[in-house]
Amino acid sequence: MSGRSSEPPDWALPSWDAVPEEPRERLVPVMRPRSAPPVAPISGVPPVPGAPTGLGGPGARDARPDPRPGANPPGTFGLRILGVSEVTRAIRGAIRADPRLLDLWVEGEIGRVTVSSAGHAYFALKDERNQLQCVWFRDDRLRSAFEAQAGLRVVAHGRIDVFESQGALQLYVDSIQPSGFGDLTLRFEALKARLAAEGLFDAGRKRLLPQRPATIAVITSPTGAVWKDICTVLARRWPLTRVVLVAAQVQGDAAPASIVAAFRKVERYVADRMAAGQPDAAPRVTILARGGGSLEDLWPFNDEVVVRAVVGHSLPVVCGVGHEADVTLADFAADVRAPTPSAAAEIVVPDRADFVSALRAAGRRLDGTATRVVGAASREVLAERRALDRLSPAAQLASARERAGLLLDRATRAVTDDVAARRRVVERLAVRLAPTVPARLVRDRARFERAGTLDTLVVRRVAVARGSLGTATATLAALGPQATLDRGYAIVHRASDGAIVREPAEAPAGTRLRLRVAHGELPATVDADGPGGA
């Protein structure tokens, strides 16, 4: 198979043979050291038919002087120089000629996985010493039951080939099968299980974040893009927040100690601000952030001392390490885990647009509530005013006057109706008595005339009765008690009950008496030596 003119197989990438061909060879005069050995073919690579020889493999033209006279200057020889494309084609041809590399299984641990916008996955299979770059095309990846994940030990099936435009030796994967976990993944799971058993990842110990922190501490590298992204997000969402950067190494063997020291610096800074009487300048929350990377790059955030520093930190911790697919033990230990550093900045502060909208909505609700309260109060005041108007003396007087007018009208109507009814009765009676009145008048007049003759008889009888009355009065006066009293007698009464005392026994000694004489009463007391005494 010629690397220059033969058509690529159906499974080859279109861009492999899209590189324009360069001139096949170029001869330049160079000085050859006398002790230089002849150029030998590359050991272990079979010759490719049609491929150039020399530096490109067996079959290249020998580095001998051109026998034609005058072709080379004296002391020089013709050395064959190959182009880059020729070398890559020679390597590609050698690889494709080896049947072992066209269909093979490779076991290793997956490194960082990158998926392009077209859906192709790029990753590296690695062992203790070497790495092999892999390409997994979209159609093959979607047909697979497994997804490539960093830290997973897999067995990948595919073929080895060269991507000519970059000169990259790659394994073109068509399927993968899980083989187990890599060493770092096993360490990760073991440490995770041990720390979880201690309760460091319990949800009950997670603290709530402050709603609008005045100051935020950020632990990250000051030279990376993460710090700029966090500042941009905070300035966009909540520019009132003050940000304190605590520089720390986030990659390498010294990163865990640097991160722990950064947490201690934050706590000392908080204590200093509190002691200085500046509580608003003290951070209320801490962000631990780093950009994406492989499992090895993010391993400092799986270190036990870093996890315990996150748990023991005096402030709530938001961990935004790596991309959304990256998970570290610091994420489990933090109070809040953010998928990215920018998301961590969005979590710790509110969005000012949402805050303004909420503030406006609260203002509208307050206006509505105030309007309803004022309206209800106005209605109550109006009702009380009407009640006071009804109870005022002028209103009561007007009401009484109106009531009196109504009663007067009713009385007038009642009297008028009664007079009219009586008049009608009189008229009816007059109609009925009209025939008998003249006769009764004549009869009564006759009786009156007869009564005039009785005056003398009445006078005589009154004189006789007056004489009889005078005689009876004189007899009564002579026989009455007053006449007896006038003659010097007295009537004795007990003062206690007014009874008349007729015998001495009825008035024992000490009895108070009243003696009635002709013209009054005299008080008296029965003496012990008197007739009633013992």
Side-chain angles (χ1 to χ4, degrees):
M1 179 178 61
S2 173
R4 177 180 301 178
S5 59
S6 62
E7 293 296 329
D10 296 337
W11 41 261
L13 287 176
S15 60
W16 291 349
D17 293 328
V19 179
E21 295 187 357
E22 296 181 359
R24 183 168 183 176
E25 61 183 12
R26 182 178 55 183
L27 296 178
V28 295
V30 296
M31 295 298 295
R32 177 184 178 186
R34 294 181 181 180
S35 61
V39 178
I42 301 176
S43 176
V45 179
V48 180
T53 58
L55 294 179
R61 181 182 302 176
D62 292 339
R64 293 178 295 177
D66 194 339
R68 294 174 298 174
N72 297 315
T76 64
F77 65 95
L79 181 64
R80 180 128 188 303
I81 305 300
L82 300 181
V84 175
S85 297
E86 291 179 296
V87 174
T88 56
R89 286 195 185 97
I91 297 174
R92 184 190 67 178
I95 292 174
R96 291 182 180 179
D98 189 348
R100 296 175 303 171
L101 303 179
L102 298 180
D103 184 4
L104 74 163
W105 294 86
V106 182
E107 182 177 3
E109 180 181 340
I110 297 178
R112 180 179 178 183
V113 180
T114 302
V115 179
S116 67
S117 59
H120 309 318
Y122 301 90
F123 56 92
L125 282 179
K126 56 187 178 178
D127 56 14
E128 294 78 5
R129 293 180 297 175
N130 300 310
Q131 293 188 7
L132 177 62
Q133 299 300 321
C134 301
V135 180
W136 197 9
F137 292 127
R138 177 180 178 275
D139 294 338
D140 294 332
R141 188 173 66 86
L142 294 180
R143 284 194 298 267
S144 176
F146 300 97
E147 186 67 39
Q149 298 180 8
L152 186 68
R153 182 172 292 276
V154 299
V155 176
H157 178 265
R159 56 183 173 80
I160 299 293
D161 212 331
V162 176
F163 184 34
E164 281 192 68
S165 63
Q166 296 183 2
L169 182 70
Q170 300 180 128
L171 173 64
Y172 291 86
V173 179
D174 54 29
S175 65
I176 63 173
Q177 296 179 9
S179 174
F181 290 99
D183 296 336
L184 288 180
T185 304
L186 294 176
R187 289 172 55 191
F188 177 89
E189 294 298 333
L191 183 58
K192 175 184 175 183
R194 182 163 59 85
L195 297 180
E198 295 182 20
L200 299 185
F201 304 152
D202 291 345
R205 53 157 297 274
K206 307 292 185 178
R207 293 165 290 189
L208 297 177
L209 300 182
Q211 293 184 352
R212 292 184 295 274
T215 305
I216 297 173
V218 179
I219 299 177
T220 189
S221 172
T223 59
V226 170
W227 167 242
K228 297 180 181 178
D229 293 341
I230 291 177
C231 291
T232 301
V233 172
L234 294 178
R236 171 174 52 85
R237 288 177 61 87
W238 196 253
L240 300 178
T241 299
R242 180 171 174 263
V243 185
V244 177
L245 172 63
V246 183
Q249 295 184 26
V250 293
Q251 185 172 341
D253 296 337
S258 178
I259 295 173
V260 173
F263 276 112
R264 293 173 181 170
K265 290 179 183 178
V266 173
E267 293 176 349
R268 287 198 300 269
Y269 183 77
V270 172
D272 292 342
R273 295 300 92 198
M274 289 296 184
Q278 300 175 352
D280 292 339
R284 300 279 305 282
V285 64
T286 301
I287 297 177
L288 177 61
R290 186 205 187 280
S294 63
L295 184 59
E296 293 86 347
D297 297 337
L298 301 181
W299 192 253
F301 297 91
N302 296 322
D303 195 284
E304 183 175 355
V305 295
V306 173
V307 175
R308 295 188 182 277
V310 171
V311 174
H313 192 48
S314 60
L315 302 179
V317 178
V318 178
C319 186
V321 175
H323 300 296
E324 187 171 359
D326 299 326
V327 178
T328 65
L329 295 181
D331 292 326
F332 293 103
D335 297 283
V336 177
R337 186 251 176 181
T340 61
S342 299
E346 292 181 357
I347 290 174
V348 297
V349 294
D351 190 354
R352 60 177 175 179
D354 296 340
F355 182 77
V356 170
S357 300
L359 188 61
R360 290 175 178 171
R364 290 191 294 269
R365 291 195 300 270
L366 183 60
D367 291 341
T369 303
T371 302
R372 289 193 298 271
V373 171
V374 171
S378 299
R379 290 190 294 272
E380 291 180 0
V381 169
L382 203 57
E384 294 295 335
R385 179 175 297 173
R386 288 195 294 267
L388 290 176
D389 291 341
R390 289 193 302 269
L391 296 176
S392 64
Q396 290 185 349
L397 181 60
S399 178
R401 183 178 299 167
E402 182 178 3
R403 188 166 56 254
L406 293 176
L407 293 176
L408 181 60
D409 293 340
R410 290 174 59 187
T412 302
R413 287 194 300 271
V415 170
T416 302
D417 294 341
D418 185 66
V419 170
R422 290 178 180 273
R423 182 178 290 113
R424 288 192 295 273
V425 172
V426 170
E427 291 176 353
R428 288 197 300 271
L429 293 176
V431 172
R432 293 173 58 187
L433 293 176
T436 61
V437 169
R440 293 192 62 179
L441 288 176
V442 172
R443 188 170 56 253
D444 291 340
R445 185 178 293 111
R447 291 176 60 187
F448 182 73
E449 290 176 353
R450 287 197 300 273
T453 59
L454 297 177
D455 291 340
T456 56
L457 180 60
V458 170
V459 171
R460 285 199 299 273
R461 294 196 61 175
V462 168
V464 174
R466 183 178 290 119
S468 299
L469 180 60
T471 303
T473 300
T475 303
L476 181 61
L479 297 177
Q482 185 63 37
T484 303
L485 295 177
D486 290 340
R487 290 197 298 272
Y489 291 96
I491 300 175
V492 180
H493 294 273
R494 280 198 304 266
S496 60
D497 56 2
I500 298 176
V501 179
R502 293 182 176 84
E503 296 179 0
E506 295 179 357
T511 301
R512 298 180 61 82
L513 302 175
R514 290 187 291 107
L515 303 179
R516 181 179 177 184
V517 295
H519 299 291
E521 290 183 353
L522 296 174
T525 302
V526 177
D527 194 2
D529 298 333

